[in-house]
Amino acid sequence: MDQDKLRLRIRDCGRELFRLIHNDRPPLFSADRWTGKVLDWAMRDEGFKVRLFRFVDVLPSLKSDEALLRHMEEYFGEGDDIPAVLRWGSRGDGLLAGSAARLLAAGLRKNIEAMAGQFIMGGNIREALAAIEDLRRQGFAFCVDILGEAAVSEAEADIYLSRNLELLANLTAAAGSWPALGATALDWGKAPRVNIAVKPTCFYSRIDPMDFDGSVEAVHHRLLPLATAAARQGAFLCIDMEQHRVKDITLAVYRRLKEHPDLRNYPHLGVVLQSYLKESRADLERLLAWARERNTPIAVRLVKGAYWDYETVVAVASGLNSPVFESKAHTDAAFEEMAATILASHEVCHLACASHNIRTIAAVEETALALGVPHHRYEFQMLYGMAEPVRRAVLSKTGRLRLYGPYGALLPGMGYLVRRLLENTSNQSFLRQRFVDGREEETLLADPAATTAQKGEEQGTTAGAVPREGPPPFRNEAAADFTLAAVRDAFPAAIARVRQRAAGHFPLLVGGQAVDTGERLPSSNPAAPAEILGTVALAGPAEIDRAVAAAAAALPGWRSLPETTRAEYLFRTAALLRRDLFELAALEVLEVGKQWHEAHADVAEAIDFCEYYGRELLRLASRGELLLSPPGEENRCRYQGKGIAAVIAPWNFPLAISCGMTAAALVTGNCVLYKPSGLSPLCGARLAAIYREAGLPAGVFNFIPCRGSVAGDHLVSHPNVHLIAFTGSVEVGSRIVRMAAAAAPGQHHLKRVIAEMGGKNAIIVDEDADLDEAVPAVLRSAFGFQGQKCSACSRVIVVEPAWERFVERLTAAARSLPLGPAEEPGHALGPVVSEEARDRILAYLKVAEQEGEILYRSEVPAGGGWYVPLTLVAGISPDHRIAREEIFGPVLALMRAPSFAAALAMANRTSFALTGGVFSRSPANLALAEREFRVGNLYLNRGITGALVGRQPFGGFGMSGIGSKAGGPDYLLQFVDPVTVTENTMRRGFAPEK
């Protein structure tokens, strides 16, 4: 192709399309309609836009007039405070109250439902068929899908499949009576009349790149019957592309379907590619090469992408590189490049160009003409209910336009509606720029490739950042990116390496020396207790005394080191943890039964503690500058370590909490005696080895695993121990507090105790909660790592109107969670940590049977392992033991409340106060929870586990613990004694200037 001529032809084609549009305006932006007025207001007022879209989202769940009116007032105000655009068309003036307010609320519901109806073909198949017939009379083909977000249970996935089979049958039966688009029974001579699209996440409730092969198999298993039915009936089936995390799964499913004998040569099975993904161009090249190699016809629906905000936010929150282009111009340029690649491969790939952008459409049309692509090898597609003037112009110009539209109930349709509203009101939307902002044609027809090249040159001339002293700002360690095959492959390889070193032995570390003893503690795999992973030596009172003496000898030199030096030791430790991240995570998988992502997150948190506390010490070192110092006086503040710290760590976060407590003690100038849990001693030994490799001076860190109350009590009550940092049960924590309070003979200090001691955590599900989000979040919070987290949800309190539907969906979702060894990524739950833990939880299940109604109890794997059934129990009241006592296992109590206020009161009826959560779309109820929910960490509209260092400092009060929050700005203050120095700077009447 002559590129200069092509650019001119694209410009001319675009101008022609603009002439065909003339002065037409989409009804969506019409000032004569309520939708047009309200969107215009939203585009001028970002705050109103946020409130409007959130209100649109919650609307279908508001069943009563009272609920609708209350939410309307919470989102928009009362009476005349309600924006005028929302009151447009209402009767009367002045304050809105009583029946007038109800009329307004009813009118608002009607208007929003009408807005949704503009984008949705109908609420049922009958309405959808009527809309399709109307479209075909206008000359448009269609593609239809069923509204709905991801399935939360396998039962919902089965329903989605059956509904699509029903849709296919109904469309096929009706197709014979539709007006023809062309001279043959096929549209435009080659295209099937029936065209449907499906979402992969609706075919498998546990789709997850971590379990890549299992996800591909499950989606393929359900999708294959629909694909073969479509082929038998001569229909087109398109597999939609959703979030980036399932992109490769989707492509793998598509390739596998195309390898089926009934589909290999069937040309009407397509997949979507999104040009805003940086990886999509490479994905396209691989897909085309694969199709040519197998001589199989494929089809690609090319879109720009509808999840840009989501992908960007998730990437930033996870510490990962964003998978999407930052600028719209890059996305547009990638689209044109990918479209040209497909058109050049038209013999093997059919292109559906899905865009409302005149420049994009003109580029595809003129590129196809320049390449001599037959008309039946490409088509144009747009969204139903959008860009009516553009679609009429394109149909007039090309004769081939397909409208993509969903049908179904309003509740699942609101997510789709909000995405469409965001798309239309975005500053970068072509439709907004043309029909609202009035951008010039020549600007809108500019070549995006040229625009990106110009921006790249401008960015290349910007000056570099000014160098800064000290470490860079703290950033959380990135989450595991299981979309990468290298990450998925790293876990089995690391697990194999850990097993190769099984049966190794780890001595004590005392005063920098390895010390072995006659007693050894074996560590086994809870999924296969006969598998011994290794042993550690056990310390007795004599070894503890020796470690205390070594720490006391090392203390003066360690405490006097500059803060920057001590911080550097932590940064060095973080680097070593990062180097060994996968192997350390693999050890956790085997030793305590953490799933891959849980284990990776635990090691990442250990890294975060080192990085964060190192920086926090440097910040504390400068706090003396904040003291007031009048002329003639200088006041300085410094912090010194308390002395010797005994760190008693738990098994459930064997590296994160161990590292957090020891790192805080070390960096503040204390010497440490570290006692790991007897259930995770190998993780403790690896941490000790890493501290040693980091170069800590002898005696500063001492590794002294010990067993039984005799050795533990000796450590806690030792007169030369200055502070105890403990994480564990309330029983043991309370005992430590009592022992530490008694000063031993020869003890010249009061001991400081920092204790985190668990919780009985509740999530409240309000009547207006988004159950698509609440159900999966409750499952993760309750059953992640088998419920063996102090932050885990053990009570879910549901406000009455949401009870039936929530319980139904939660129970179905729980049935979809398989149990098995954590080293296999397809298992949602693994074993509990020990035989003792299993027996304790099983005893609580007997209590649950007596106090409530067992809604679901899972099967447990045969063949050994410390497994307990995942259990849901309803009929629980706040006074029941199941609602009061910490079980530390996969047992969830379901409680019913008549109102949100009652639910809040029930949540607070416990002696613990660690974590809590609320799922609600009521601003007033969220504010009430923030004021009244008595917990240290409150999570609104998200799960209640997974606190991150520096973001959600973690810790509670009540019987949940004493001390400041781990991973927060005041945590280190617990490990130090502050010293203030005041100097008189006046000499003979002279004071130096400040």
Side-chain angles (χ1 to χ4, degrees):
M1 291 184 295
D2 184 319
Q3 294 299 316
D4 290 333
K5 288 183 178 179
L6 179 61
R7 278 191 285 271
L8 292 174
R9 290 176 58 176
I10 292 172
R11 183 66 59 91
D12 290 342
C13 180
R15 288 170 176 165
E16 182 182 354
L17 288 170
F18 275 121
R19 284 195 297 272
L20 291 170
I21 291 172
H22 193 51
N23 291 322
D24 279 0
R25 187 179 179 87
L28 189 67
F29 298 125
S30 173
D32 297 331
R33 298 189 179 192
W34 182 86
T35 298
K37 287 182 177 293
V38 80
L39 289 186
D40 178 67
W41 197 299
M43 287 182 282
R44 290 187 285 109
D45 185 338
E46 186 66 25
F48 172 75
K49 174 180 172 179
V50 171
R51 294 194 304 274
L52 172 68
F53 289 1
R54 290 186 174 181
F55 183 75
V56 167
D57 180 56
V58 73
L59 178 68
S61 68
L62 307 178
K63 304 303 183 184
S64 67
D65 291 342
E66 290 74 14
L68 175 60
L69 184 59
R70 176 168 59 84
H71 281 75
M72 184 182 71
E73 292 174 348
E74 290 178 17
Y75 278 93
F76 303 114
E78 299 182 47
D80 284 347
D81 291 335
I82 296 175
V85 67
L86 296 182
R87 291 187 280 118
W88 181 67
S90 64
R91 297 179 179 177
D93 298 317
L95 292 175
L96 291 165
S99 60
R102 292 179 182 276
L103 285 172
L104 176 58
L108 191 55
R109 181 193 292 275
K110 181 179 179 182
N111 284 328
I112 291 176
E113 289 179 352
M115 181 192 297
Q118 181 166 337
F119 299 101
I120 298 170
M121 287 185 171
N124 53 51
I125 186 62
R126 179 182 55 80
E127 293 176 356
L129 286 171
I132 288 168
E133 288 191 23
D134 183 56
L135 289 177
R136 294 185 67 85
R137 280 192 292 269
Q138 299 174 48
F140 298 104
F142 74 92
C143 176
V144 64
D145 78 342
I146 298 173
L147 281 168
E149 304 300 313
V152 302
S153 69
E154 292 302 271
E156 291 185 6
D158 285 336
I159 292 171
Y160 184 72
L161 171 59
S162 64
R163 290 184 64 201
N164 272 285
L165 288 169
E166 179 186 9
L167 171 64
L168 180 63
N170 278 280
L171 291 173
T172 303
S177 63
W178 292 339
L181 301 181
T184 69
L186 294 172
D187 288 344
W188 316 313
K190 295 286 186 178
R193 288 189 170 194
V194 173
N195 192 307
I196 66 173
V198 292
K199 300 178 181 67
T201 58
C202 291
F203 283 93
Y204 182 43
S205 64
R206 300 195 60 250
I207 191 169
D208 190 334
M210 186 175 76
D211 181 26
F212 189 90
D213 292 340
S215 296
V216 171
E217 170 61 31
V219 175
H220 174 267
H221 174 73
R222 279 204 179 88
L223 192 47
L224 181 59
L226 181 63
T228 53
R232 286 194 305 271
Q233 298 174 41
F236 192 103
L237 175 65
C238 183
I239 304 173
D240 273 342
M241 190 65 70
E242 301 174 271
Q243 294 88 349
H244 172 258
R245 65 185 293 270
V246 297
K247 171 183 68 73
D248 288 341
I249 293 172
T250 302
L251 291 171
V253 169
Y254 179 69
R255 289 192 296 268
R256 187 166 172 185
L257 287 170
K258 288 294 297 180
E259 290 171 349
H260 190 275
D262 294 345
L263 301 171
R264 180 184 181 92
N265 297 317
Y266 189 67
H268 305 308
L269 179 63
V271 69
V272 170
L273 290 179
Q274 302 159 317
S275 72
Y276 70 2
L277 291 178
K278 299 172 185 176
E279 303 164 357
S280 285
R281 281 179 279 193
D283 290 333
L284 174 62
E285 294 288 357
R286 284 191 291 267
L287 187 59
L288 290 170
W290 175 87
R292 290 192 191 96
E293 180 183 341
R294 287 161 178 77
N295 193 29
T296 182
I298 62 174
V300 169
R301 180 175 188 256
L302 187 59
V303 304
K304 294 183 179 176
Y307 300 90
W308 189 91
D309 293 288
Y310 171 89
E311 300 290 7
T312 304
V313 169
V314 168
V316 171
S318 302
L320 303 172
N321 293 326
S322 175
V324 295
F325 290 116
E326 292 183 8
S327 75
K328 184 68 162 56
H330 275 98
T331 296
D332 290 347
F335 189 103
E336 292 188 18
E337 181 182 335
M338 292 173 67
T341 300
I342 297 171
L343 291 170
S345 305
H346 62 83
E347 76 288 350
V348 72
C349 184
H350 177 274
L351 170 66
C353 167
S355 177
H356 304 112
N357 188 312
I358 294 294
R359 159 72 202 196
T360 301
I361 295 165
V364 169
E365 173 70 2
E366 292 303 325
T367 301
L369 294 175
L371 290 170
V373 180
H375 286 172
H376 69 271
R377 299 303 296 158
Y378 71 104
E379 66 180 54
F380 295 94
Q381 295 187 2
M382 295 183 186
L383 292 173
Y384 180 82
M386 288 177 57
E388 290 85 347
V390 180
R391 79 187 194 193
R392 288 191 291 268
V394 173
L395 181 62
S396 174
K397 170 73 174 171
T398 69
R400 301 177 314 285
L401 185 64
R402 187 180 306 280
L403 297 181
Y404 175 101
Y407 88 93
L410 190 61
L411 183 59
M414 279 306 167
Y416 179 83
L417 173 59
V418 170
R419 282 197 295 275
R420 297 290 76 80
L421 295 179
L422 284 169
E423 182 177 344
N424 279 280
T425 58
S426 165
N427 288 330
Q428 296 188 354
S429 162
F430 170 83
L431 296 179
R432 172 176 175 172
Q433 289 181 352
R434 174 59 181 172
F435 297 107
V436 178
D437 299 338
R439 296 284 292 274
E440 295 294 329
E441 290 181 10
E442 295 307 307
T443 302
L444 295 174
L445 291 174
D447 184 351
T451 302
T452 58
Q454 181 180 357
K455 287 183 177 180
E457 292 174 1
E458 292 172 354
Q459 291 171 356
T461 61
T462 57
V466 178
R468 53 173 292 141
E469 295 183 3
F474 172 75
R475 291 184 61 186
N476 295 102
E477 185 70 11
D481 185 0
F482 288 106
T483 67
L484 301 176
V487 175
R488 296 194 298 271
D489 294 342
F491 265 92
I495 290 170
R497 289 196 299 273
V498 171
R499 277 205 165 99
Q500 287 171 1
R501 289 197 295 269
H505 176 67
F506 296 88
L508 311 179
L509 179 64
V510 177
Q513 301 296 315
V515 175
D516 213 345
T517 63
E519 190 175 7
R520 295 189 173 189
L521 175 67
S523 179
S524 63
N525 179 353
E531 180 184 7
I532 303 302
L533 302 170
T535 61
V536 298
L538 286 174
E543 288 78 23
I544 291 174
D545 288 343
R546 181 175 170 183
V548 171
L555 181 62
W558 178 249
R559 187 160 53 187
S560 64
L561 285 176
E563 288 88 352
T564 52
T565 302
R566 293 201 303 269
E568 187 55 40
Y569 279 110
L570 257 60
F571 298 149
R572 205 176 303 162
T573 301
L576 295 171
L577 289 166
R578 194 176 289 115
R579 180 197 67 189
D580 297 342
L581 196 158
F582 283 103
E583 201 159 308
L584 293 168
L587 178 59
E588 293 194 13
V589 170
L590 293 177
E591 188 171 37
V592 297
K594 275 185 179 277
Q595 289 72 28
W596 290 7
H597 64 294
E598 298 272 5
H600 187 284
D602 189 67
V603 184
E605 187 175 12
I607 295 169
D608 283 351
F609 277 129
C610 290
E611 297 281 5
Y612 183 78
Y613 289 151
R615 288 163 173 78
E616 277 299 292
L617 180 70
L618 300 180
R619 183 182 66 85
L620 285 181
S622 65
R623 284 185 61 172
E625 300 173 0
L626 302 178
L627 298 181
L628 297 177
S629 294
E633 176 180 294
E634 184 172 309
N635 296 307
R636 301 183 295 275
C637 179
R638 63 181 175 85
Y639 298 91
Q640 64 183 23
K642 285 183 171 292
I644 298 174
V647 175
I648 303 173
W651 52 264
N652 61 333
F653 290 88
L655 280 169
I657 295 180
S658 290
C659 192
M661 293 192 295
T662 55
L666 289 168
V667 80
T668 47
N670 302 280
C671 290
V672 169
L673 279 64
Y674 167 54
K675 176 195 173 302
S677 167
L679 297 173
S680 57
L682 300 185
C683 288
R686 285 297 303 272
L687 178 61
I690 284 175
Y691 273 135
R692 189 174 190 180
E693 187 178 354
L696 286 176
V700 171
F701 179 88
N702 301 275
F703 174 60
I704 51 167
C706 52
R707 179 165 55 191
S709 61
V710 175
D713 289 357
H714 189 72
L715 177 63
V716 171
S717 60
H718 200 290
N720 291 335
V721 169
H722 295 79
L723 72 89
I724 299 103
F726 167 79
T727 299
S729 70
V730 67
E731 293 79 14
V732 175
S734 299
R735 176 180 171 82
I736 289 173
V737 171
R738 291 193 299 270
M739 293 178 63
Q747 180 178 320
H748 302 292
H749 56 270
L750 294 176
K751 296 181 181 179
R752 178 67 178 268
V753 176
I754 306 159
E756 193 275 286
M757 301 184 297
K760 189 66 183 176
N761 312 300
I763 291 178
I764 296 173
V765 179
D766 202 357
E767 62 179 303
D768 64 354
D770 184 342
L771 300 190
D772 284 346
E773 293 185 356
V775 170
V778 169
L779 285 177
R780 288 193 301 271
S781 300
F783 304 123
F785 188 34
Q786 297 76 260
Q788 298 174 119
K789 302 178 183 181
C790 52
S791 58
C793 172
S794 56
R795 299 176 294 154
V796 58
I797 305 169
V798 186
V799 179
E800 181 65 45
W803 171 265
E804 184 174 345
R805 184 58 178 151
F806 174 80
V807 171
E808 176 189 357
R809 297 189 72 189
L810 181 74
T811 305
R815 293 181 185 277
S816 306
L817 301 181
L819 279 66
E823 62 186 282
E824 298 174 17
H827 293 140
L829 280 79
V832 295
V833 73
S834 67
E835 183 177 17
E836 179 187 1
R838 182 198 64 179
D839 293 344
R840 184 186 68 252
I841 297 166
L842 291 177
Y844 270 108
L845 290 185
K846 293 181 179 179
V847 175
E849 291 174 353
Q850 298 167 358
E851 293 184 336
E853 173 192 1
I854 304 298
L855 295 180
Y856 173 65
R857 177 182 294 172
S858 68
E859 297 293 327
V860 297
W866 308 129
Y867 292 98
V868 297
L870 179 162
T871 304
L872 303 178
V873 54
I876 298 300
S877 73
D879 295 325
H880 284 144
R881 289 180 61 193
I882 296 299
R884 292 184 290 108
E885 299 176 13
E886 186 177 38
I887 300 172
F888 226 65
V891 181
L892 179 62
L894 280 69
M895 306 167 70
R896 189 190 311 224
S899 66
F900 185 83
L904 196 54
M906 293 168 69
N908 284 333
R909 285 200 39 196
T910 173
S911 58
F912 295 99
L914 187 55
T915 65
V918 173
F919 278 87
S920 175
R921 288 178 284 187
S922 163
N925 284 349
L926 293 176
L928 178 64
E930 190 170 347
R931 293 193 306 270
E932 303 294 339
F933 206 151
R934 289 189 62 257
V935 290
N937 284 71
L938 177 62
Y939 299 94
L940 306 179
N941 290 314
R942 55 150 282 178
I944 66 173
T945 59
L948 291 175
V949 173
R951 295 197 216 175
Q952 297 99 22
F954 186 78
F957 46 91
M959 295 305 292
S960 288
I962 51 176
S964 296
K965 287 175 167 294
D970 52 356
Y971 187 71
L972 293 188
L973 293 175
Q974 303 169 112
F975 294 82
V976 296
D977 290 322
V979 176
T980 302
V981 177
T982 299
E983 179 182 354
N984 175 17
T985 59
M986 181 76 72
R987 293 291 186 273
R988 302 295 181 182
F990 167 76
E993 294 184 6
K994 296 291 184 182

